[in-house]
């Protein structure tokens, strides 16, 4: 082999090694990007970014640009998901806050209702006049013997009327308030005493 051939071989070997290194970088980038797309973790995204930063050769320019576009899409997707999660959290927090306010309002209303004393006035009993009226028994005067002589029948009727009047007066003298004529107590209906 000549020196030229030897130099050519050395140049080709160097280029092949360089190409193999580029292929290795591209494979590592694709693997890291796939992992980041699945996990969507900050650590995996930073790993992809470091690999992209290390790709400085013009030969890798096209693969690098494609990877950057894919990484940007991934970052945008993650931001959308985070925004959605935040919006959901805010909606849940708002709903919880509204529910809490409603619960507090309802509880406060229940407490106010239970604290209020209801005033129920007892129904008044209307006075009812007694339905029974007291009637004194008519006492008959004992039969008196008529004096002998004329006009006995007139004296007897007059004496009997006088005797009845006297008996009525005597019977009414003991009645006061709720006393009954026989000395007992009369009930006063509707008063409850």
């Amino acid at each position: 082999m000549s020196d030229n051939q030897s130099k050519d071989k050395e140049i080709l070997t160097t280029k092949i090694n360089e190409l193999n290194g580029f292929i290795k970088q591209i494979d590592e980038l694709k693997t890291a990007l796939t992992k980041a797309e699945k996990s969507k973790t900050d650590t995996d995204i930073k790993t992809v970014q470091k690999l992209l930063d290390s790709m400085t050769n013009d030969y890798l320019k096209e693969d690098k640009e494609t990877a950057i576009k894919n990484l940007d899409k991934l970052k945008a997707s993650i931001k959308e998901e985070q925004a959605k999660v935040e919006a959901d959290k805010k909606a849940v927090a708002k709903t919880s806050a509204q529910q809490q306010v409603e619960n507090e309002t309802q509880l406060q209303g229940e407490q106010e209702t239970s604290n209020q004393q209801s005033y129920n006035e007892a129904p008044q009993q209307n006075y009812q006049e007694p339905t029974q009226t007291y009637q004194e028994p008519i006492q008959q005067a004992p039969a008196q013997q008529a004096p002998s002589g004329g006009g006995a029948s007139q004296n007897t009727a007059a004496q009997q009327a006088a005797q009845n009047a006297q008996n009525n007066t005597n019977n009414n003298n003991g009645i006061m308030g709720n006393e009954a004529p026989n000395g007992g107590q009369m009930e006063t209906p509707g008063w409850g005493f």
Side-chain angles (χ1 to χ4, degrees), residues 69-83:
K69 288 177 185 178
N70 289 337
L71 185 62
D72 288 343
K73 286 179 186 178
L74 176 62
K75 287 179 180 178
S77 166
I78 291 171
K79 280 186 180 182
E80 284 178 25
E81 287 178 17
Q82 287 175 343

Side-chain angles (χ1 to χ4, degrees), residues 118-137:
S118 61
Y119 175 75
N120 292 328
E121 186 174 317
Q124 293 182 348
Q125 295 180 349
N126 294 334
Y127 174 74
Q128 296 178 350
E129 297 225 7
T131 55
Q132 297 178 350
T133 56
Y134 175 73
Q135 293 181 350
E136 282 189 45

